[in-house]
Protein backbone atom coordinates (compact mmCIF):
# COMPACT_ATOMS: atom_id res chain seq x y z
CA UNK A 1 0.00 0.00 0.00
CA UNK A 2 1.34 3.47 -0.91
CA UNK A 3 2.51 5.82 1.81
CA UNK A 4 0.69 9.03 2.64
CA UNK A 5 3.84 11.09 2.05
CA UNK A 6 6.97 10.53 -0.01
CA UNK A 7 9.91 12.64 1.17
CA UNK A 8 12.66 13.14 -1.40
CA UNK A 9 16.18 13.93 -0.17
CA UNK A 10 18.70 14.73 -2.96
CA UNK A 11 22.22 14.11 -1.63
CA UNK A 12 25.61 15.20 -2.94
CA UNK A 13 28.67 15.19 -0.66
CA UNK A 14 26.72 16.03 2.49
CA UNK A 15 28.10 13.39 4.88
CA UNK A 16 28.58 15.76 7.86
CA UNK A 17 24.89 16.73 7.86
CA UNK A 18 23.06 13.55 6.94
CA UNK A 19 22.59 12.00 10.39
CA UNK A 20 20.82 15.10 11.71
CA UNK A 21 18.59 15.27 8.64
CA UNK A 22 17.69 11.57 8.52
CA UNK A 23 17.02 11.43 12.26
CA UNK A 24 14.52 14.29 11.94
CA UNK A 25 12.71 12.41 9.17
CA UNK A 26 12.62 8.96 10.76
CA UNK A 27 11.24 10.45 13.99
CA UNK A 28 8.26 12.11 12.30
CA UNK A 29 5.00 11.81 14.22
CA UNK A 30 3.54 10.79 10.87
CA UNK A 31 4.60 7.18 10.48
CA UNK A 32 2.98 6.55 7.10
CA UNK A 33 5.78 7.86 4.91
CA UNK A 34 8.61 6.80 2.63
CA UNK A 35 11.99 8.50 2.43
CA UNK A 36 13.64 8.42 -0.99
CA UNK A 37 17.31 9.37 -0.67
CA UNK A 38 18.91 10.07 -4.05
CA UNK A 39 22.70 9.81 -4.01
CA UNK A 40 23.70 12.14 -6.85
CA UNK A 41 27.18 10.74 -7.53
CA UNK A 42 28.67 11.69 -4.15
CA UNK A 43 32.41 11.20 -3.63
CA UNK A 44 32.42 11.25 0.17
CA UNK A 45 30.81 9.01 2.79
CA UNK A 46 27.26 10.01 1.80
CA UNK A 47 26.37 6.62 0.17
CA UNK A 48 27.60 4.62 3.16
CA UNK A 49 25.68 6.78 5.63
CA UNK A 50 22.50 6.50 3.58
CA UNK A 51 22.76 2.71 3.42
CA UNK A 52 23.33 2.49 7.16
CA UNK A 53 20.12 4.45 7.69
CA UNK A 54 18.25 2.24 5.21
CA UNK A 55 19.30 -0.84 7.18
CA UNK A 56 17.91 0.72 10.36
CA UNK A 57 14.58 1.91 8.90
CA UNK A 58 12.70 0.05 6.19
CA UNK A 59 10.92 3.24 5.06
CA UNK A 60 14.20 4.57 3.64
CA UNK A 61 15.07 3.83 0.03
CA UNK A 62 18.50 4.70 -1.41
CA UNK A 63 18.86 5.39 -5.13
CA UNK A 64 22.25 5.92 -6.79
CA UNK A 65 22.70 7.97 -9.94
CA UNK A 66 25.46 9.78 -11.81
CA UNK A 67 25.88 13.39 -10.78
CA UNK A 68 23.34 15.52 -12.60
CA UNK A 69 22.56 18.30 -10.16
CA UNK A 70 19.82 18.99 -7.65
CA UNK A 71 16.99 19.29 -10.17
CA UNK A 72 17.81 15.97 -11.84
CA UNK A 73 18.14 14.24 -8.45
CA UNK A 74 14.75 15.53 -7.32
CA UNK A 75 13.18 14.40 -10.59
CA UNK A 76 14.63 10.92 -10.05
CA UNK A 77 12.97 10.78 -6.64
CA UNK A 78 9.65 12.07 -8.01
CA UNK A 79 9.59 9.32 -10.63
CA UNK A 80 9.88 6.71 -7.86
CA UNK A 81 7.54 8.30 -5.33
CA UNK A 82 4.33 6.44 -4.50
CA UNK A 83 2.93 8.69 -1.81
CA UNK A 84 -0.32 10.59 -1.94
CA UNK A 85 1.76 13.71 -1.32
CA UNK A 86 5.39 14.61 -2.04
CA UNK A 87 7.78 16.70 0.05
CA UNK A 88 11.40 17.74 -0.44
CA UNK A 89 14.12 18.13 2.18
CA UNK A 90 17.65 19.34 1.51
CA UNK A 91 20.14 17.04 3.28
CA UNK A 92 22.01 19.79 5.13
CA UNK A 93 18.74 20.91 6.75
CA UNK A 94 16.40 19.17 9.19
CA UNK A 95 12.74 19.39 10.18
CA UNK A 96 10.55 19.40 13.25
CA UNK A 97 9.14 15.97 14.11
CA UNK A 98 5.58 17.21 13.56
CA UNK A 99 6.20 18.84 10.18
CA UNK A 100 4.71 16.30 7.80
CA UNK A 101 1.85 15.37 10.10
CA UNK A 102 0.85 19.02 10.38
CA UNK A 103 1.18 19.67 6.65
CA UNK A 104 -0.73 16.53 5.72
CA UNK A 105 -3.59 17.44 8.07
CA UNK A 106 -3.87 20.92 6.53
CA UNK A 107 -3.51 19.62 2.97
CA UNK A 108 -6.29 17.07 3.34
CA UNK A 109 -8.61 19.40 5.23
CA UNK A 110 -8.16 22.12 2.59
CA UNK A 111 -7.91 19.77 -0.39
CA UNK A 112 -4.94 21.91 -1.44
CA UNK A 113 -2.68 21.20 -4.39
CA UNK A 114 0.22 22.68 -2.42
CA UNK A 115 0.49 23.30 1.33
CA UNK A 116 3.33 25.24 2.96
CA UNK A 117 4.69 26.05 6.41
CA UNK A 118 7.21 28.53 7.77
CA UNK A 119 10.91 27.98 8.36
CA UNK A 120 13.78 29.06 10.60
CA UNK A 121 17.15 30.02 9.17
CA UNK A 122 20.19 29.21 11.28
CA UNK A 123 23.93 29.68 10.89
CA UNK A 124 26.15 26.72 10.12
CA UNK A 125 28.96 28.59 11.86
CA UNK A 126 27.51 28.81 15.36
CA UNK A 127 23.89 27.61 15.20
CA UNK A 128 22.48 31.09 15.83
CA UNK A 129 19.00 31.95 14.52
CA UNK A 130 19.01 34.20 11.45
CA UNK A 131 15.80 36.23 11.45
CA UNK A 132 16.56 37.54 7.96
CA UNK A 133 16.30 34.00 6.63
CA UNK A 134 13.26 32.94 8.66
CA UNK A 135 9.55 33.08 7.83
CA UNK A 136 6.32 32.65 9.76
CA UNK A 137 3.60 33.29 7.15
CA UNK A 138 0.07 34.33 7.96
CA UNK A 139 -2.23 31.31 7.84
CA UNK A 140 -4.72 31.01 5.00
CA UNK A 141 -6.31 29.06 2.16
CA UNK A 142 -6.70 30.28 -1.41
CA UNK A 143 -9.64 28.43 -2.92
CA UNK A 144 -9.42 29.57 -6.54
CA UNK A 145 -5.92 30.67 -7.41
CA UNK A 146 -6.53 30.94 -11.14
CA UNK A 147 -9.53 33.25 -10.73
CA UNK A 148 -8.09 35.57 -8.10
CA UNK A 149 -6.97 39.04 -9.10
CA UNK A 150 -3.35 39.72 -8.17
CA UNK A 151 -3.09 41.39 -4.81
CA UNK A 152 -0.45 41.86 -2.17
CA UNK A 153 -0.44 39.30 0.66
CA UNK A 154 -2.33 36.73 -1.37
CA UNK A 155 -1.80 33.21 -0.02
CA UNK A 156 0.52 32.26 -2.89
CA UNK A 157 2.75 35.27 -2.14
CA UNK A 158 3.17 34.08 1.49
CA UNK A 159 4.54 30.76 0.28
CA UNK A 160 8.28 31.29 -0.25
CA UNK A 161 9.64 30.31 -3.66
CA UNK A 162 11.42 27.26 -2.24
CA UNK A 163 10.60 23.58 -2.69
CA UNK A 164 11.34 22.38 0.82
CA UNK A 165 8.63 23.99 2.98
CA UNK A 166 5.84 22.43 0.97
CA UNK A 167 3.71 19.34 0.54
CA UNK A 168 2.56 18.74 -3.05
CA UNK A 169 -0.36 16.55 -4.05
CA UNK A 170 1.30 13.93 -6.25
CA UNK A 171 -1.74 13.60 -8.52
CA UNK A 172 -1.54 17.36 -9.17
CA UNK A 173 2.15 17.15 -10.13
CA UNK A 174 1.61 14.10 -12.35
CA UNK A 175 -1.48 15.48 -14.08
CA UNK A 176 0.38 18.61 -15.10
CA UNK A 177 3.73 16.96 -15.83
CA UNK A 178 5.50 19.21 -13.33
CA UNK A 179 9.20 18.52 -12.87
CA UNK A 180 12.30 20.57 -12.03
CA UNK A 181 14.18 21.95 -15.03
CA UNK A 182 17.48 19.95 -15.14
CA UNK A 183 19.47 22.70 -16.84
CA UNK A 184 19.06 24.87 -13.74
CA UNK A 185 21.75 23.70 -11.35
CA UNK A 186 21.22 26.92 -9.40
CA UNK A 187 18.01 28.78 -8.60
CA UNK A 188 15.84 25.82 -9.60
CA UNK A 189 13.23 26.35 -6.87
CA UNK A 190 12.03 29.69 -8.27
CA UNK A 191 11.55 28.28 -11.76
CA UNK A 192 9.63 25.29 -10.40
CA UNK A 193 7.36 27.46 -8.23
CA UNK A 194 6.50 29.75 -11.15
CA UNK A 195 5.51 26.67 -13.17
CA UNK A 196 3.42 25.27 -10.30
CA UNK A 197 1.47 28.54 -9.96
CA UNK A 198 0.27 28.26 -13.55
CA UNK A 199 -1.71 25.13 -12.64
CA UNK A 200 -2.58 25.40 -8.94
CA UNK A 201 -6.22 25.75 -7.94
CA UNK A 202 -6.10 25.57 -4.15
CA UNK A 203 -3.21 26.59 -1.90
CA UNK A 204 -2.90 26.45 1.89
CA UNK A 205 -0.34 27.79 4.33
CA UNK A 206 0.24 27.41 8.08
CA UNK A 207 2.39 29.81 10.13
CA UNK A 208 4.37 27.20 12.06
CA UNK A 209 8.15 27.32 11.52
CA UNK A 210 8.67 23.60 11.04
CA UNK A 211 11.70 23.53 8.73
CA UNK A 212 15.26 24.33 9.82
CA UNK A 213 17.16 26.00 6.97
CA UNK A 214 20.95 25.93 7.20
CA UNK A 215 22.72 29.09 6.01
CA UNK A 216 26.32 30.31 5.86
CA UNK A 217 27.65 26.86 5.02
CA UNK A 218 31.10 27.00 3.49
CA UNK A 219 30.99 26.10 -0.18
CA UNK A 220 27.19 26.46 -0.45
CA UNK A 221 25.74 28.45 -3.35
CA UNK A 222 23.47 30.30 -0.92
CA UNK A 223 26.53 31.69 0.89
CA UNK A 224 28.00 33.10 -2.32
CA UNK A 225 24.64 34.60 -3.24
CA UNK A 226 24.22 36.07 0.22
CA UNK A 227 27.50 37.91 -0.23
CA UNK A 228 27.22 38.89 -3.90
CA UNK A 229 23.59 38.31 -4.87
CA UNK A 230 22.16 35.89 -7.38
CA UNK A 231 23.78 36.39 -10.82
CA UNK A 232 21.44 38.61 -12.81
CA UNK A 233 21.70 36.60 -16.07
CA UNK A 234 20.50 33.55 -14.10
CA UNK A 235 17.62 35.57 -12.64
CA UNK A 236 16.62 36.60 -16.17
CA UNK A 237 17.01 33.05 -17.44
CA UNK A 238 14.60 31.72 -14.80
CA UNK A 239 11.99 34.34 -15.67
CA UNK A 240 12.39 33.67 -19.37
CA UNK A 241 12.01 29.92 -18.82
CA UNK A 242 8.89 30.37 -16.68
CA UNK A 243 7.27 32.80 -19.12
CA UNK A 244 7.94 30.49 -22.08
CA UNK A 245 6.36 27.70 -20.04
CA UNK A 246 3.32 29.87 -19.23
CA UNK A 247 2.84 30.53 -22.95
CA UNK A 248 3.26 26.86 -23.83
CA UNK A 249 0.67 25.70 -21.30
CA UNK A 250 -1.80 28.44 -22.23
CA UNK A 251 -1.60 30.43 -19.00
CA UNK A 252 0.25 33.53 -20.18
CA UNK A 253 -2.88 35.48 -21.15
CA UNK A 254 -4.41 34.87 -17.72
CA UNK A 255 -1.16 35.84 -16.03
CA UNK A 256 -1.00 39.09 -17.96
CA UNK A 257 -4.63 39.92 -17.25
CA UNK A 258 -4.32 39.35 -13.52
CA UNK A 259 -0.98 41.06 -12.99
CA UNK A 260 1.10 37.98 -12.17
CA UNK A 261 3.43 38.45 -15.14
CA UNK A 262 4.04 42.08 -14.21
CA UNK A 263 4.75 41.03 -10.62
CA UNK A 264 7.26 38.43 -11.84
CA UNK A 265 8.97 40.99 -14.11
CA UNK A 266 9.32 43.42 -11.23
CA UNK A 267 10.39 40.85 -8.62
CA UNK A 268 12.88 38.99 -10.77
CA UNK A 269 14.32 41.74 -12.97
CA UNK A 270 13.27 45.37 -12.59
CA UNK A 271 13.99 45.43 -8.87
CA UNK A 272 17.66 44.97 -9.77
CA UNK A 273 17.73 47.73 -12.40
CA UNK A 274 15.20 50.47 -11.67
CA UNK A 275 15.77 51.57 -8.02
CA UNK A 276 18.17 54.52 -8.07
CA UNK A 277 19.41 53.89 -4.51
CA UNK A 278 21.07 50.60 -5.53
CA UNK A 279 24.20 50.37 -7.68
CA UNK A 280 23.73 48.78 -11.06
CA UNK A 281 24.88 45.16 -11.09
CA UNK A 282 28.53 44.68 -11.98
CA UNK A 283 28.54 42.69 -15.19
CA UNK A 284 31.00 42.32 -18.02
CA UNK A 285 30.14 43.71 -21.45
CA UNK A 286 29.37 40.16 -22.55
CA UNK A 287 27.04 39.61 -19.60
CA UNK A 288 25.21 42.88 -20.27
CA UNK A 289 24.79 41.84 -23.90
CA UNK A 290 23.46 38.44 -22.79
CA UNK A 291 21.09 40.07 -20.32
CA UNK A 292 19.80 42.50 -22.94
CA UNK A 293 19.15 39.60 -25.28
CA UNK A 294 17.19 37.80 -22.56
CA UNK A 295 15.11 40.92 -21.93
CA UNK A 296 14.33 41.34 -25.62
CA UNK A 297 13.29 37.70 -25.88
CA UNK A 298 11.08 38.06 -22.79
CA UNK A 299 9.30 41.14 -24.14
CA UNK A 300 8.79 39.33 -27.42
CA UNK A 301 7.04 36.52 -25.52
CA UNK A 302 4.63 38.93 -23.81
CA UNK A 303 4.22 40.95 -27.04
CA UNK A 304 5.65 44.22 -25.79
CA UNK A 305 5.33 46.73 -22.97
CA UNK A 306 1.83 47.80 -24.03
CA UNK A 307 0.42 44.63 -22.46
CA UNK A 308 1.98 45.35 -19.05
CA UNK A 309 -0.63 47.40 -17.23
CA UNK A 310 0.41 49.15 -14.02
CA UNK A 311 3.91 50.42 -14.81
CA UNK A 312 4.67 54.05 -14.03
CA UNK A 313 6.42 56.44 -16.44
CA UNK A 314 9.98 55.51 -15.62
CA UNK A 315 9.31 51.80 -15.30
CA UNK A 316 7.77 51.94 -18.77
CA UNK A 317 10.81 53.83 -20.07
CA UNK A 318 13.16 51.18 -18.65
CA UNK A 319 11.13 48.40 -20.23
CA UNK A 320 11.07 50.08 -23.64
CA UNK A 321 14.83 50.56 -23.41
CA UNK A 322 15.29 46.89 -22.65
CA UNK A 323 12.95 45.54 -25.33
CA UNK A 324 14.62 47.28 -28.28
CA UNK A 325 18.07 46.80 -29.86
CA UNK A 326 20.97 48.60 -28.22
CA UNK A 327 21.86 51.99 -29.70
CA UNK A 328 25.34 53.15 -30.63
CA UNK A 329 25.10 56.91 -30.08
CA UNK A 330 27.20 59.52 -31.79
CA UNK A 331 29.67 61.64 -29.84
CA UNK A 332 27.20 64.41 -28.93
CA UNK A 333 24.54 61.94 -27.81
CA UNK A 334 27.08 60.09 -25.70
CA UNK A 335 28.17 63.31 -24.00
CA UNK A 336 24.50 64.19 -23.31
CA UNK A 337 23.73 60.71 -21.94
CA UNK A 338 26.82 60.87 -19.74
CA UNK A 339 25.71 64.18 -18.23
CA UNK A 340 22.16 62.93 -17.69
CA UNK A 341 23.43 59.72 -16.08
CA UNK A 342 24.91 61.84 -13.27
CA UNK A 343 21.50 63.18 -12.25
CA UNK A 344 19.75 61.84 -9.19
CA UNK A 345 16.77 59.53 -9.25
CA UNK A 346 15.42 57.34 -11.99
CA UNK A 347 16.37 59.72 -14.80
CA UNK A 348 20.03 59.32 -13.96
CA UNK A 349 19.58 55.59 -13.54
CA UNK A 350 17.89 55.33 -16.94
CA UNK A 351 20.71 57.06 -18.79
CA UNK A 352 23.36 55.10 -16.89
CA UNK A 353 21.74 51.88 -18.10
CA UNK A 354 21.34 53.31 -21.60
CA UNK A 355 25.09 53.96 -21.72
CA UNK A 356 25.86 50.47 -20.47
CA UNK A 357 23.69 48.79 -23.09
CA UNK A 358 25.10 51.00 -25.83
CA UNK A 359 28.66 50.09 -24.84
CA UNK A 360 28.04 46.34 -25.22
CA UNK A 361 26.41 46.28 -28.64
CA UNK A 362 24.32 47.97 -31.26
CA UNK A 363 24.74 49.83 -34.55
CA UNK A 364 25.46 53.50 -35.09
CA UNK A 365 22.27 55.51 -35.62
CA UNK A 366 22.53 58.41 -38.02
Amino acid sequence: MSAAVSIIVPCYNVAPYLDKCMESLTLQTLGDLEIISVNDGSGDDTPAILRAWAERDGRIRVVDRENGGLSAARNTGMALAGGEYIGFVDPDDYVEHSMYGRLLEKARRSDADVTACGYTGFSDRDGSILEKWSLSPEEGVEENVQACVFQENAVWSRMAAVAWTKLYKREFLERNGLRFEPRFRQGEDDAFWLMVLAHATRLAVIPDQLYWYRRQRKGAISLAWEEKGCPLPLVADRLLHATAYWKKCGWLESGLERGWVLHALWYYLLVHLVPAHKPLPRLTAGEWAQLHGQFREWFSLVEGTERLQGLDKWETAFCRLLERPAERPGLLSRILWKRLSLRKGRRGRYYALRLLLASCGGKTHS
Side-chain angles (χ1 to χ4, degrees), residues 276 336-352:
L336 176 62
W337 293 4
K338 182 66 175 177
R339 291 184 62 184
L340 290 171
S341 72
L342 300 176
R343 297 187 62 170
K344 294 181 179 180
R346 291 186 174 186
R347 180 182 294 273
R349 181 71 156 201
Y350 171 84
Y351 281 99

Side-chain angles (χ1 to χ4, degrees), residues 234-302:
L234 173 60
V235 173
D237 197 19
R238 290 184 301 192
L239 178 60
L240 187 57
H241 167 78
T243 308
Y245 177 83
W246 292 344
K247 190 163 189 174
K248 178 181 176 182
C249 74
W251 188 78
L252 184 58
E253 292 297 324
S254 177
L256 282 163
E257 178 185 346
R258 295 180 172 89
W260 291 49
V261 173
L262 177 60
H263 172 78
L265 172 66
W266 178 259
Y267 181 81
Y268 285 96
L269 287 176
L270 292 185
V271 71
H272 298 278
L273 298 175
V274 173
H277 65 280
K278 294 182 179 180
L280 279 166
R282 294 184 178 180
L283 303 176
T284 65
E287 289 172 330
W288 276 115
Q290 175 190 350
L291 185 68
H292 193 194
Q294 290 171 315
F295 266 118
R296 293 188 64 202
E297 187 175 353
W298 189 87
F299 281 110
S300 176
L301 278 173
V302 301

